[in-house]
């Protein structure tokens, strides 16, 4: 075998640093992009904000305030799944909306971005963009007209701190103060006292010292009464029934509500909670000695109580959702069109520092010239990649609006099935690029604020041979349940048959999956006996 030379021509894609940065910037959220811009401004001397942006006060972007899902107790879920048909429907509707639409208000109209200025605008949230649970703006001496949003989002007082602050106003002996403090520290996140008083006493004194254990139980009993008198009402309860009873007694002492209804509700709380969970009005009325009408009113009163007193103090991740794209109605109502614009408040306006770049050009061949030239090129790449990021987001958003125009006019029921490949083929991009663009990017529409991924969904077959969007099917299921009779709620099989009558082929298991995603209870828990 003799050695030889051969010439071969081939093509390959080199993942250059510029391409790597472009891909990374494309998948960043608004907050992450803002942090990336700040880091690059600190590290690269050739990068600066435009003159008009340098004069503005800089803000750190807070995270979005989204409620954290909790593992609800089964009995509690059954009780609060809806004491009445109307309350159940309202809760389901608000829960469904909360999964897709943010609490933030969409910013006002914005002009189309001008890419020739090499720029972007830094985010400035206002009060209208805060979620319902976000703290109000505060202003102190030395601050500007707007408070720092990140600090406001992080400001939080725990349940333990709140109870300790109330305990300071009680005139107690050192022993009682220590006992009350110990019980406060023993509460769980929901405000319940999980362990019994004897077990708490044994954990401190030990099993052998019986005398000390009895003394501690006595002290804890006194401290528990003091704890349960604090705000929020129901804190320190050792179970759901006791928590509801404490709140009902507070209502009776304050003279709120019908005394007979409150008294009936107290009797209901003394019965097994399974009867209340099943909403068995007849058996509860017999057990409590009241009529069915009064029993229903008492059950409705219980449903309005707070089963978790510590819920308001739970440490949840506070987020601010700021839309990257704004969709506005244009044209007349008979022929509605929609304009798609980038939100200028999320685009940082950057440019290359003229003085430093000029000094570098005038000092060619000097010491360190090659390293500085590389930093200058990095600054130019960074500006170009940010421009490309927003241009891609705008293109994808416009394609989504064109495909889902009926949704913006009629709502969820008019949603069409759409997959990433459809948009990728239309724009000549890869599916992975569309996936990066639609992750953690939000669109403010006349129907609400949604993540771009919300507009994508699988399709279900229809009798005509077409497809129906899974989002539209979920909206139909929610509509069916809201119109059902409380005495005869629809089963999953019945809902599947009703969808079949609408021409949509949907199996019972699929209906059950969509119903659980909508946080709708099963038929046996929705039934009012």
């Amino acid at each position: 075998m003799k050695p030889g030379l051969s010439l071969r021509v081939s093509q390959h894609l080199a993942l250059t640093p510029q391409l790597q940065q472009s891909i990374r910037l494309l998948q960043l959220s608004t907050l992450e992009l803002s942090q990336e811009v700040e880091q690059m401004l600190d590290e690269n001397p050739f990068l600066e904000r435009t003159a008009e942006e340098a004069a503005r006060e800089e803000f750190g972007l807070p995270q979005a305030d989204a409620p954290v899902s909790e593992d609800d107790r089964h009995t509690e879920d059954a009780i609060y799944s809806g004491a009445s048909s109307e309350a159940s429907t309202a809760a389901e509707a608000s829960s469904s909306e909360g999964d897709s639409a943010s609490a933030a208000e969409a910013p006002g109209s914005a002009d189309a971005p001008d890419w020739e200025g090499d720029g972007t605008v830094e985010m400035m949230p206002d009060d209208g963009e805060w979620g319902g649970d976000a703290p109000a703006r505060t202003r102190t001496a030395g601050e500007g007209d707007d408070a720092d949003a990140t600090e406001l989002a992080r400001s939080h007082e725990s349940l333990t701190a709140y109870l300790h602050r109330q305990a300071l106003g009680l005139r107690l002996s050192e022993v009682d103060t220590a006992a009350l403090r110990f019980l406060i520290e023993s509460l769980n996140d929901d405000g319940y006292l999980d362990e019994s008083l004897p077990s708490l006493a044994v954990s401190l004194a030990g099993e052998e010292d019986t005398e000390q254990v009895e003394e501690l139980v006595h002290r804890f009993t006194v401290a528990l009464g003091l704890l349960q008198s604090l705000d929020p009402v129901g804190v320190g309860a050792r179970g759901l029934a006791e928590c509801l009873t404490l709140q009902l007694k507070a209502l009776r002492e304050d003279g709120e509500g019908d005394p007979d209804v409150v008294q009936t509700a107290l009797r209901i709380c003394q019965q097994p909670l399974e009867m209340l969970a099943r909403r068995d009005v007849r058996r509860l009325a017999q057990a409590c000695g009241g009529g069915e009408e009064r029993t229903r009113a008492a059950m409705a009163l219980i449903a309005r109580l707070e089963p978790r007193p510590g819920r308001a103090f739970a440490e949840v991740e506070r987020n601010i959702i700021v839309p990257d794209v704004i969709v506005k109605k244009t044209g007349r109502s008979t022929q509605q069109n929609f304009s798609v614009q980038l939100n200028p408040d999320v685009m940082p306006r950057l440019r290359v520092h003229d003085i430093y770049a000029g000094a570098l050009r005038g000092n060619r061949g000097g010491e360190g010239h090659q390293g500085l030239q590389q930093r200058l090129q990095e600054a130019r790449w960074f500006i170009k990649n940010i421009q490309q990021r927003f241009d891609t987001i705008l293109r994808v958003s416009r394609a989504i609006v064109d495909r889902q125009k009926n949704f913006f006019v009629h709502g969820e029921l008019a949603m069409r099935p759409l997959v990433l490949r459809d948009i990728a083929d239309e724009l000549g991009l890869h599916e992975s690029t569309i996936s990066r663009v639609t992750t953690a990017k939000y669109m403010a529409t006349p129907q609400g604020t949604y993540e771009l991924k919300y507009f994508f969904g699988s399709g279900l077959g229809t009798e005509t041979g077409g497809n129906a969007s899974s989002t539209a099917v979920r909206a139909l299921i929610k509509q069916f349940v809201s119109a059902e009779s409380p005495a005869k709620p629809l089963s999953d099989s019945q809902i599947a048959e009703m969808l079949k009558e609408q021409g949509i082929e949907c199996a019972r298991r699929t209906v059950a999956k969509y119903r659980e995603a909508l946080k709708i209870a099963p038929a046996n828990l929705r039934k009012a006996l």
Side-chain angles (χ1 to χ4, degrees):
M1 184 175 183
K2 297 181 180 180
L5 296 176
S6 62
L7 183 64
R8 183 174 61 184
V9 179
S10 63
Q11 292 182 340
H12 68 279
L13 177 63
L15 198 60
T16 62
Q18 181 181 5
L19 182 58
Q20 293 178 16
Q21 184 186 65
S22 177
I23 294 174
R24 187 167 56 85
L25 291 178
L26 188 61
Q27 63 188 7
L28 295 181
S29 64
T30 300
L31 172 62
E32 293 167 339
L33 177 64
S34 176
Q35 294 172 343
E36 186 76 15
V37 169
E38 293 297 332
Q39 181 179 355
M40 186 62 70
L41 286 171
D42 292 338
E43 296 177 354
N44 197 319
F46 292 97
L47 198 64
E48 68 170 355
R49 297 188 185 276
T50 57
E52 61 272 17
E53 289 304 307
R56 294 171 58 178
E57 182 180 1
E58 296 183 355
F59 279 81
L61 291 179
Q63 294 182 348
D65 190 12
V68 174
S69 61
E70 301 173 347
D71 296 331
D72 297 334
R73 299 182 183 90
H74 178 72
T75 302
E76 176 187 322
D77 280 344
I79 295 174
Y80 289 89
S81 62
S84 64
S85 176
E86 297 179 359
S88 175
T89 303
E92 292 157 5
S94 62
S95 172
S96 175
E97 293 174 1
D99 291 339
S100 56
S102 73
E105 295 292 335
S109 60
D111 296 332
D114 184 7
W115 293 120
E116 297 178 358
D118 283 348
T120 59
V121 170
E122 193 178 3
M123 171 76 200
M124 294 183 65
D126 56 19
D127 288 339
E129 294 167 355
W130 288 99
D133 295 334
R137 283 189 182 271
T138 57
R139 190 176 299 175
T140 58
E143 290 184 340
D145 291 337
D146 297 311
D148 185 87
T150 305
E151 293 181 3
L152 288 174
R154 292 176 179 173
S155 61
H156 176 76
E157 184 178 24
S158 65
L159 175 63
T160 302
Y162 182 63
L163 294 173
H164 281 320
R165 185 158 55 84
Q166 295 181 70
L168 293 176
L170 302 176
R171 296 182 179 180
L172 303 175
S173 64
E174 293 184 4
V175 177
D176 290 336
T177 300
L180 179 58
R181 177 176 292 273
F182 183 79
L183 291 184
I184 291 175
E185 296 291 341
S186 301
L187 297 175
N188 62 17
D189 293 337
D190 293 331
Y192 285 88
L193 190 63
D194 290 332
E195 298 185 61
S196 64
L197 299 184
S199 63
L200 291 175
V202 169
S203 66
L204 288 179
E207 297 181 359
E208 299 178 356
D209 196 344
T210 309
E211 233 177 78
Q212 184 67 17
V213 169
E214 292 179 356
E215 175 66 19
L216 287 175
V217 169
H218 172 70
R219 294 293 182 181
F220 286 156
T221 303
V222 175
L224 181 61
L226 295 171
L227 175 59
Q228 293 180 349
S229 66
L230 300 179
D231 187 62
V233 181
V235 70
R238 288 157 291 184
L240 179 59
E242 185 178 9
C243 178
L244 299 176
T245 300
L246 290 173
Q247 296 180 58
L248 290 170
K249 288 181 178 179
L251 290 177
R252 184 176 60 184
E253 293 174 0
D254 295 339
E256 299 181 8
D258 188 345
D260 295 334
V261 174
V262 173
Q263 187 62 33
T264 303
L266 286 170
R267 295 195 190 102
I268 291 176
C269 292
Q270 296 173 1
Q271 304 300 321
L273 291 184
E274 288 76 10
M275 296 171 61
L276 181 60
R278 294 195 305 267
R279 298 198 293 280
D280 194 339
V281 179
R282 184 174 302 174
R283 289 183 61 187
L284 284 174
Q286 293 175 354
C288 299
E292 291 190 6
E293 183 177 352
R294 184 183 300 175
T295 302
R296 292 181 186 276
M299 293 170 62
L301 176 61
I302 293 174
R304 293 195 297 268
L305 301 178
E306 175 56 68
R308 300 180 182 181
R311 190 201 304 266
F313 300 88
E315 294 186 6
V316 297
E317 184 182 1
R318 298 185 175 271
N319 292 318
I320 296 281
I321 293 179
V322 181
D324 300 83
V325 181
I326 300 174
V327 178
K328 298 174 59 180
K329 284 185 180 180
T330 59
R332 300 179 180 178
S333 58
T334 56
Q335 188 176 1
Q336 292 185 3
N337 295 318
F338 297 90
S339 64
V340 184
Q341 301 171 341
L342 289 173
N343 182 3
D345 290 339
V346 300
M347 301 185 303
R349 301 194 181 277
L350 305 174
R351 68 180 181 184
V352 174
H353 202 296
D354 295 336
I355 298 178
Y356 291 165
L360 182 62
R361 285 193 297 268
N363 189 26
R364 296 182 182 276
E367 183 180 357
H369 179 272
Q370 184 176 359
L372 292 175
Q373 183 67 32
Q374 184 178 359
R375 300 308 296 263
L376 176 60
Q377 187 64 32
E378 288 178 0
R380 290 172 176 166
W381 283 353
F382 188 72
I383 294 174
K384 182 179 179 181
N385 288 334
I386 287 183
Q387 294 173 353
Q388 185 177 1
R389 174 187 186 271
F390 283 102
D391 181 59
T392 307
I393 292 175
L394 183 61
R395 291 176 61 200
V396 172
S397 300
R398 285 175 174 169
I400 291 174
V401 172
D402 289 341
R403 293 292 188 102
Q404 301 290 8
K405 183 178 178 181
N406 290 334
F407 164 79
F408 298 103
V409 178
H410 304 291
E412 291 180 328
L413 291 174
M415 184 77 80
R416 294 174 54 190
L418 183 66
V419 294
L420 297 177
R421 181 179 291 276
D422 297 337
I423 302 298
D425 293 342
E426 179 179 341
L427 301 180
L429 301 173
H430 196 270
E431 287 184 51
S432 62
T433 302
I434 306 300
S435 177
R436 292 187 182 97
V437 170
T438 55
T439 301
K441 314 296 188 305
Y442 294 88
M443 177 186 293
T445 74
Q447 299 287 345
T449 302
Y450 301 86
E451 188 179 10
L452 294 184
K453 276 192 178 298
Y454 171 78
F455 299 97
F456 295 86
S458 58
L460 297 176
T462 61
E463 292 180 352
T464 59
N467 289 322
S469 171
S470 57
T471 303
V473 174
R474 284 194 293 267
L476 271 175
I477 292 175
K478 184 169 63 175
Q479 193 177 76
F480 291 156
V481 172
S482 64
E484 70 183 4
S485 171
K488 294 182 179 180
L490 298 172
S491 65
D492 294 339
S493 300
Q494 290 174 321
I495 294 177
E497 290 296 327
M498 295 176 69
L499 290 173
K500 191 173 182 180
E501 293 176 1
Q502 299 289 330
I504 301 173
E505 299 291 340
C506 187
R508 183 196 61 80
R509 289 178 297 177
T510 306
V511 171
K513 182 179 70 173
Y514 289 166
R515 176 181 53 74
E516 292 173 359
L518 293 170
K519 298 181 181 178
I520 298 176
N524 62 327
L525 295 181
R526 300 199 310 270
K527 185 176 182 180
L529 301 178

